Every structure is written in C-alpha cells, then in structure tokens.
C-alpha cells in the first residue's frame, strides 16, 4: 500500500487501522495525509474491486488485440527465418547428393571429400537449429477472458469464508495486486483507493494457467490461450504492469 500524497508506505497504526507512515513518523514536513482506513473497509473495497472492476472487458479487449498483433508479428518473422533454414537445408542435401552422384560417375572421392564434409556439417547444424525452431501457430486469446477472470476471482473470494483452502485463496488474491494507492477523498473525510493489478497474475488467472491452454469452442474452432513464458514479460514488451485499475 502506498500513500497517494507522498508515495510512502501505508502501515498498520492500530489493531484494525492503516495510515501513512511518513505522515506519522516524519510529520507534516513530509506528508499531511493523516487519514486512516479500517482494515475491514480496506479488504471489502479491494475484494470488490478485484471481483468487479479490475478486469474491465473493454481494457481486456484492447490489451488482447495489441498483444496478439505483436506476438503474431514476431511469429511471422520467426516463420520467415524457419523457411530460410528449411531452404538452406534442402540445398545442402541436394549439393551433397550431387557429389555422391559424381563419385558414382567416376570422380575421385579425394577431390570432393572436403566439400562433402562441409555440406554434411552444415546439414547437421541446420537440422539442430530447426529442431529448436518449431513452426509458429497463430496466437488467439479467449474471447471471454474478462468473464472467466471474474468467475475465478469470485470463487476465490467465496473460499475466504471457509476454513478449507482459505490460506491458498488469500495467496492467490494477493498475487493479483501490484499496489494499492490511498489518497484523501476530494469530498468527505475518507480515502480513495486505486487498485493496480499485477498484469501477468491477472492474465494467468483469466486463462487458467493450471489447466489446458487450448480448448474447442462450440463451433469447433480452436480457442487458444497464449500462456507461454513470454506472458510474465509483457511489461518489458511495452505494456505497463498496472494496466487495469479501479
């Protein structure tokens, strides 16, 4: 939690309340935000934001379109590179076979031995590279990511009310939150909350990374979640990790 006025941390100042630490420890010279929030109020508002506001369908749609377009562009570039290697491999095999045919036709093997060794080494190298360059497929995000996210978050919130699985649910919900910024409300004496979500955690929950990455839609078309390791690096690809906010 962070203070929206000074950027300092919000900490527990009593049994059930939180407040800005710099405002209390360093006084008004650093921060004048002396407002507090009850733990029960904070938790209720955060859970409501997680369940109802954090994965706005319009924001999810924009993200999916931009991310998918970029990933497909990179996959297209990789496909071009793979095609070049496949063509080079085919040439190496043809040239090697021509030398074999030349030997059969009577050309002394000593004259072509070095070239054959070179071509065979190139063939093996290209085959190894192609093994580590799988043919790309098109990235497609599930059209109902926002709805899937809300259903799974609601399930986690319901689990908080039961003894079994409560701790796991708490950890799962915490993993979705990047930061909570608390700023004095313009009207009244309370605090406004801005909940910033951890983008990778939000998307992994929405796509249910613990399950299958691909399933069939009712019409038989493939609906694939792109849940490869690159997803946790989305912020490094130009997307802010705190994309979805209350």
């Amino acid at each position: 939690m962070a203070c929206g006025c000074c950027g300092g941390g919000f900490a527990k100042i009593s049994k059930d309340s939180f407040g800005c630490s710099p405002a209390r420890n360093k006084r008004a010279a650093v921060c004048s935000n002396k407002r507090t929030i009850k733990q029960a109020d904070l938790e209720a508002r955060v859970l409501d934001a997680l369940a109802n506001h954090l994965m706005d369908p319009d924001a999810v749609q924009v993200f999916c379109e931009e991310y998918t377009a970029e990933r497909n562009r990179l996959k297209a570039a990789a496909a071009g590179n793979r095609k070049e290697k496949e063509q080079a491999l085919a040439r190496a095999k043809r040239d090697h076979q021509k030398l074999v045919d030349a030997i059969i036709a009577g050309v002394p093997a000593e004259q072509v031995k070095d070239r054959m060794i070179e071509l065979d080494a190139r063939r093996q190298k290209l085959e190894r590279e192609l093994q580590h360059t799988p043919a790309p497929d098109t990235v497609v995000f599930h059209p109902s990511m926002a709805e899937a996210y809300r259903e799974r978050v609601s399930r986690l919130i319901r689990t908080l009310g039961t003894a079994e699985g409560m701790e796991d649910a708490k950890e799962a919900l915490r993993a979705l939150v990047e930061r909570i910024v608390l700023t004095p409300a313009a009207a009244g004496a309370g605090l406004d909350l801005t909940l910033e979500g951890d983008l990778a955690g939000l998307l992994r929950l929405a796509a249910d990374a613990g399950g299958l990455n691909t399933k069939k839609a009712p019409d038989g078309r493939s609906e694939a979640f792109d849940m490869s390791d690159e997803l946790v690096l989305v912020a490094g690809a130009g997307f802010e990790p705190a994309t979805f906010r209350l």
Side-chain angles (χ1 to χ4, degrees), residues 96-118:
H96 189 277
Q97 185 59 47
K98 287 178 182 178
L99 294 177
V100 172
D101 293 340
I103 293 173
I104 294 174
V107 174
E110 291 78 8
Q111 295 182 15
V112 297
K113 183 180 72 171
D114 290 345
R115 177 59 175 161
M116 291 183 72
I117 293 173
E118 177 187 336

Side-chain angles (χ1 to χ4, degrees), residues 3 5-6 20 22-24 26-35 184:
C3 175
C5 296
C6 70
C20 174
R24 279 155 180 78
K26 299 180 181 179
R27 305 299 177 182
V30 174
C31 185
S32 60
N33 183 9
K34 299 295 288 288
R35 298 188 184 184

Side-chain angles (χ1 to χ4, degrees), residues 167-209:
E167 290 304 318
D168 290 340
K170 284 182 179 179
E171 290 304 312
L173 289 168
R174 287 192 188 104
L176 303 177
V177 180
E178 180 80 16
R179 196 167 68 133
I180 303 170
V181 180
L182 300 100
T183 308
L191 288 162
D192 288 334
L193 270 64
T194 299
L195 183 63
E196 302 179 356
D198 182 293
L199 185 55
L202 294 168
L203 292 174
R204 287 191 181 281
L205 182 66
D208 193 16

Side-chain angles (χ1 to χ4, degrees), residues 132-202:
H132 294 89
T133 311
D137 53 354
T138 301
V139 177
V140 181
F141 272 89
H142 196 288
S144 301
M145 282 185 67
E147 289 77 4
Y149 164 85
R150 274 195 289 274
E151 189 278 327
R152 289 173 184 132
V153 165
S154 296
R155 190 190 312 159
L156 288 171
I157 291 174
R158 289 195 299 271
T159 305
L160 292 176
T162 64
E164 184 179 357
M166 180 174 63
E167 290 304 318
D168 290 340
K170 284 182 179 179
E171 290 304 312
L173 289 168
R174 287 192 188 104
L176 303 177
V177 180
E178 180 80 16
R179 196 167 68 133
I180 303 170
V181 180
L182 300 100
T183 308
L191 288 162
D192 288 334
L193 270 64
T194 299
L195 183 63
E196 302 179 356
D198 182 293
L199 185 55
L202 294 168

